[in-house]
Amino acid sequence: MRRPVPESVRRAWATEPPPGTGQPASLVLARFAEQIAPYPLGNGHPRFFGWVNSPPAVLGVFAEALAAAMNPSVAGGDHAAYYLEHQVVRWFAGLAGLPVGAGGLLVSGASMATLTALATARHQAMSRAGIDVRASGLQAGGPRLRLYASREAHGCVRKAAELLGIGTDNIREIDVDDRDRIRPGHLAGLLDADSERGDLPVAVIASAGTVNTGAIDPLSDIGAVCAERDVWLHVDAAYGGPPVLLLHEYSGARDALGRADSIAIDPHKWLYIPVDAGLILLREPELARGAFSLIPPYLRTDDESPGSPWFSEYGFEQTRPFRALKIWMAIQHLGLDGYRDLIARDLRLADYLRAAVGSAPDLELLAWGLSVVCFRYRPAGWTGTAGQLDDLNRRLASAVQDAGRAFCAGTAVGGQAALRACIVNPGARPGDLDLLVAEILRHGARLLSRDQR
Ligand SMILES: Cc1ncc(COP(=O)(O)O)c(C=O)c1O
């Protein structure tokens, strides 16, 4: 579990200069064991339920070392890493139900996947409007660009809007229902009104598993709205992708996913792959090539030579790490059925936690979806103000984390401070969740009695 890094260790890191002369590897490793390994984020522990950080799949850990030993750049070329990445991308495109010809590439995570997708969508929308955004940037005039997302969309959508020059003021906020899911009718209205005004819709961003509450947007209806208007649909399946791709219960969402233009999936979340491992899938990868390809003379290849076209033509990175190996090895080791079992177990544990929260008189369930459960401490008979309850829950998240016996994150749901547990942890057992609940109740009561003194 997470332990605070002692002041002495932090000070040493902040002040120590690089050594002039080298040291034996055994000493360097001893320092790792002494000063680094004891202070992890904590996500290898069975009682870590913070954010969406899983422990690493065992073969993924070894794959990292093997990939580093080979140390290729997977920009492109005729070597194993290139072909393995194609295989991994093809597996996921197939699982997502994308048509033959779909493709994509591995990236650092869903933030980069989203940026890649939205840059491609922007390039396509502007090309259709007769503007070459690669040449003229956003300085050629032209219509106002629009993105469409709900307030539940991950922050990387806003960052991408900023970087792509679309601007956050031009993100239309789509209404959500009482379970945080996009209302397709509202989306349709926004798109129609904007088109009538002469604005240029660049993309709609929907989620298969929102980061805060695990909501899955009605992808089929959203897909129909986008298809009728020929607008790019990007699905953020960073967190929820694995259950949607693999589990029977989510086959409806999976069928709809197959109609998206782009899909972001993070194997480093719910497939337990060591960070970093993100994936962008594209229905028509050549559109990304149109947005990104730039082949300097010293790298020139033709499409016919083995190892071409290069991945670096489809995204921003030139030198690219061998990310495919850890995904490939973990999938080879666990198999899709092994993954199905692990993910289904995480989901059952989330149900278990939800039931435990529901039956605890001092806890209030606020929202849940997939393996996320959001709730707050609200002692029975609470008579304080809403602001005091928020303050108590904010301090409670830190108190539980600092005590170091179990870890959940703090968040806000519907404007109320909340605790959030996300279970992407094959090491966890029901007893670990019992202990999390006990810790929350214990620290909640302690903070409350201190406040009342
Ligand atoms: C739903 C969702 N989208 C996007 C992201 C961003 O992913 P990354 O941190 O891998 O860039 C996250 C991260 O938690 C997420 O949960």
Side-chain angles (χ1 to χ4, degrees), residues 182 190 198 200 254 257 259 265 276 285 328 338 344 361 384 390 407 442 447:
I182 282 176
L190 291 174
L200 184 59
R254 179 163 64 245
L257 203 60
R259 293 196 288 277
I265 298 176
D276 65 10
W328 184 86
D390 280 345
F407 193 104
R442 183 168 75 89
L447 291 175

Side-chain angles (χ1 to χ4, degrees), residues 103-443:
L105 67 163
L106 296 171
V107 290
S108 59
S111 301
M112 185 51 95
T114 302
L115 183 63
T116 308
L118 297 184
T120 304
R122 182 189 68 162
H123 184 259
Q124 193 209 25
M126 293 187 76
S127 302
R128 284 176 173 178
I131 300 168
D132 177 359
V133 67
R134 295 190 62 172
S136 54
L138 300 177
Q139 321 236 26
R144 187 167 183 171
L145 307 179
R146 296 282 192 189
L147 292 174
Y148 301 80
S150 81
R151 60 160 201 241
E152 299 299 312
H154 189 268
C156 66
V157 172
R158 296 176 67 83
K159 281 190 181 176
E162 291 164 9
L163 280 178
L164 293 170
I166 296 171
T168 52
D169 285 352
N170 295 306
I171 302 178
R172 290 290 199 189
E173 188 179 306
I174 316 163
D175 286 351
V176 291
D177 63 16
D178 58 358
R179 295 289 311 277
D180 294 330
R181 296 170 300 203
I182 282 176
R183 290 186 190 278
H186 185 239
L187 169 64
L190 291 174
L191 283 166
D192 292 344
D194 285 346
S195 295
E196 215 158 281
R197 196 179 294 110
D199 295 354
L200 184 59
V202 168
V204 170
I205 298 99
S207 299
T210 56
V211 60
N212 203 30
T213 64
I216 299 181
D217 287 323
L219 300 177
S220 180
D221 292 348
I222 294 169
V225 167
C226 292
E228 275 161 24
R229 293 158 182 81
D230 203 11
V231 173
W232 187 285
L233 173 59
H234 173 70
V235 179
D236 179 351
Y239 158 52
V244 169
L245 262 45
L246 294 174
L247 299 186
H248 175 67
E249 312 75 293
Y250 296 98
S251 56
R254 179 163 64 245
D255 291 347
L257 203 60
R259 293 196 288 277
D261 296 286
S262 54
I263 306 167
I265 298 176
D266 263 350
H268 67 206
K269 290 189 164 66
W270 213 346
L271 291 176
Y272 323 109
I273 303 298
V275 172
D276 65 10
L279 169 65
I280 180 66
L281 292 174
L282 295 146
R283 166 178 296 276
E284 291 182 55
E286 287 313 297
L287 296 176
R289 198 180 193 187
F292 286 103
S293 178
L294 195 155
I295 310 175
Y298 51 86
L299 288 179
R300 186 159 293 282
T301 56
D302 58 71
D303 274 11
E304 308 316 317
S305 52
S308 290
W310 285 30
F311 282 110
S312 53
E313 286 186 66
Y314 294 78
F316 192 70
E317 285 181 318
Q318 178 67 39
T319 301
R320 304 173 66 254
F322 189 4
R323 295 186 177 104
L325 187 63
K326 53 193 170 183
I327 304 173
W328 184 86
M329 278 199 175
I331 293 178
Q332 295 287 352
H333 186 216
L334 290 165
L336 295 184
D337 285 342
Y339 270 111
R340 286 188 181 100
D341 288 348
L342 293 177
I343 293 166
R345 229 169 47 124
D346 287 334
L347 288 164
R348 280 197 301 277
L349 284 174
D351 286 345
Y352 180 87
L353 176 61
R354 190 152 51 91
V357 168
S359 63
D362 290 346
L363 298 179
E364 184 186 4
L365 190 61
L366 294 177
W368 68 93
L370 290 171
S371 65
V372 172
V373 184
C374 296
F375 55 102
R376 65 177 173 171
Y377 180 68
R378 189 176 194 285
W382 170 261
T383 52
T385 65
Q388 285 168 330
L389 193 59
D390 280 345
D391 177 56
L392 178 60
N393 276 280
R394 274 188 216 107
R395 285 182 289 136
L396 180 52
S398 306
V400 170
Q401 291 170 6
D402 292 346
R405 300 192 69 210
F407 193 104
C408 68
T411 188
V413 173
Q416 296 172 324
L419 304 167
R420 175 183 174 282
C422 178
I423 301 157
V424 286
N425 192 336
R429 300 284 177 274
D432 296 308
L433 292 161
D434 293 339
L435 199 138
L436 172 71
V437 169
E439 280 291 278
I440 289 167
L441 293 172
R442 183 168 75 89
H443 288 284

